[in-house]
Amino acid sequence: MKKISLFMLVGFLALVIAACGNSNEDNGAKKDEKLEAIDAKLDVPEKGEKGEPVSLSTKVTKGDENVDDAGEVKYEIWKNGHKDESEMIEAKHEKGGLYKAEKTFQEDGLYTVQVHVTARDMHTMPKTEIAIGEVGAGEHEEAGEDHHHGDHESTVSIHLMKPDSITAGEEAEMKVHVENKEAALEDARVRFEIYQDGQEKHEWVDLTPDEAGKYSGSYTFPEKGSYNVQVHVTKGEEIHEHSMETVDVQ
């Protein structure tokens, strides 16, 4: 009996050790999979014509997998020198991780197109330029200076991540992702300035740093309506940027 019991005990321990080994391997594989970053390949023509639609597309992948379930894909477009007047366009998923939108430019000039992609708890925002119609030599020179000397248009990107729906009287959690020169901007002061058109009093909310380049905060909107949420980012004397977005509260 003792020999049989000892044999059974040894066998049981062997099974437990093997199970633990498999569990650790599975956890390691899952961890490696989670750490793999998403990739967004932005495809925009180099040139376009005023008054004619231009196709914008982005292929989103994670390793060899097409990402069909991105939480958000938006194109931010502005004429160089006018970042404060940027426009956001929602992209639609077609198939195989391809997200598309169209934009008709009303003026000649050099424009920046930046795609904001949020998927699998990660965020990326590559950008490129497109020349519409006749572009003066001065505009090309200014663009070149922006890329080499770090003008705010080409170095700092601010992206607000908010819930799909916000209800008046309920706390809304929001995050901001900030990059400088295509790298996460850490140790910055990030604040919300929240107000409605015609409202004299503006509410200010300080955000808390999370992981690299991400800041989080919350705000309870008092009533239904459309609110302006302006994100202010400052760091030392060199960086003082802001970005505006409209939020609809139900």
Side-chain angles (χ1 to χ4, degrees):
M1 286 292 292
K2 289 183 179 179
K3 289 183 179 180
I4 295 174
S5 299
L6 181 61
F7 178 77
M8 292 177 64
L9 178 61
V10 171
F12 176 74
L13 288 174
L15 288 173
V16 170
I17 291 170
C20 290
N22 290 336
S23 177
N24 288 335
E25 288 176 6
D26 292 343
N27 289 338
K30 289 178 181 178
K31 187 176 181 181
D32 290 341
E33 180 183 353
K34 187 175 182 180
L35 289 174
E36 191 170 23
I38 60 169
D39 182 51
K41 294 189 182 300
L42 175 61
D43 185 12
V44 176
E46 292 184 1
K47 295 182 179 180
E49 296 298 327
K50 180 176 68 176
E52 295 183 5
V54 174
S55 177
L56 316 171
S57 67
T58 302
K59 176 82 169 182
V60 184
T61 58
K62 185 179 181 185
D64 297 329
E65 177 190 1
N66 293 326
V67 176
D68 298 333
D69 58 351
E72 179 182 73
V73 180
K74 285 183 178 180
Y75 293 99
E76 183 178 10
I77 303 169
W78 67 90
K79 190 173 184 180
N80 287 3
H82 301 275
K83 177 67 164 64
D84 291 345
E85 300 172 10
S86 66
E87 174 189 7
M88 283 284 192
I89 300 175
E90 292 272 3
K92 291 184 178 180
H93 179 248
E94 292 204 338
K95 61 179 180 178
L98 191 63
Y99 297 80
K100 286 190 172 185
E102 278 192 351
K103 165 66 178 174
T104 301
F105 296 86
Q106 302 301 330
E107 296 181 3
D108 288 348
L110 195 63
Y111 292 79
T112 296
V113 178
Q114 183 169 37
V115 64
H116 297 269
V117 179
T118 303
R120 312 285 174 88
D121 295 323
M122 288 175 279
H123 184 70
T124 185
M125 39 191 180
K127 62 184 174 182
T128 188
E129 289 183 337
I130 179 172
I132 301 298
E134 296 295 327
V135 179
E139 292 185 66
H140 283 294
E141 289 172 4
E142 288 176 8
E145 290 174 1
D146 288 349
H147 288 298
H148 290 93
H149 299 296
D151 182 84
H152 79 279
E153 278 192 8
S154 60
T155 63
V156 176
S157 297
I158 303 170
H159 181 62
L160 173 65
M161 292 173 277
K162 61 185 187 298
D164 293 333
S165 62
I166 298 177
T167 303
E170 296 182 5
E171 188 176 51
E173 297 283 343
M174 295 182 283
K175 291 188 176 184
V176 173
H177 185 199
V178 187
E179 286 188 350
N180 183 32
K181 299 179 182 178
E182 299 184 1
L185 180 64
E186 300 183 75
D187 302 322
R189 185 184 186 189
V190 182
R191 298 189 296 164
F192 289 143
E193 181 185 3
I194 303 173
Y195 62 96
Q196 289 182 292
D197 289 337
Q199 187 179 34
E200 292 185 7
K201 185 180 178 182
H202 293 198
E203 298 287 342
W204 291 84
V205 179
D206 285 299
L207 275 63
T208 303
D210 285 336
E211 55 189 286
K214 290 185 179 180
Y215 303 81
S216 62
S218 62
Y219 181 74
T220 302
F221 293 87
E223 58 186 30
K224 295 180 180 180
S226 181
Y227 289 79
N228 298 311
V229 177
Q230 189 159 19
V231 184
H232 293 262
V233 177
T234 57
K235 184 175 181 179
E237 297 295 329
E238 296 180 356
I239 296 177
H240 187 180
E241 309 298 334
H242 58 83
S243 176
M244 175 77 79
E245 190 161 337
T246 302
V247 172
D248 291 320
V249 178
Q250 305 300 318

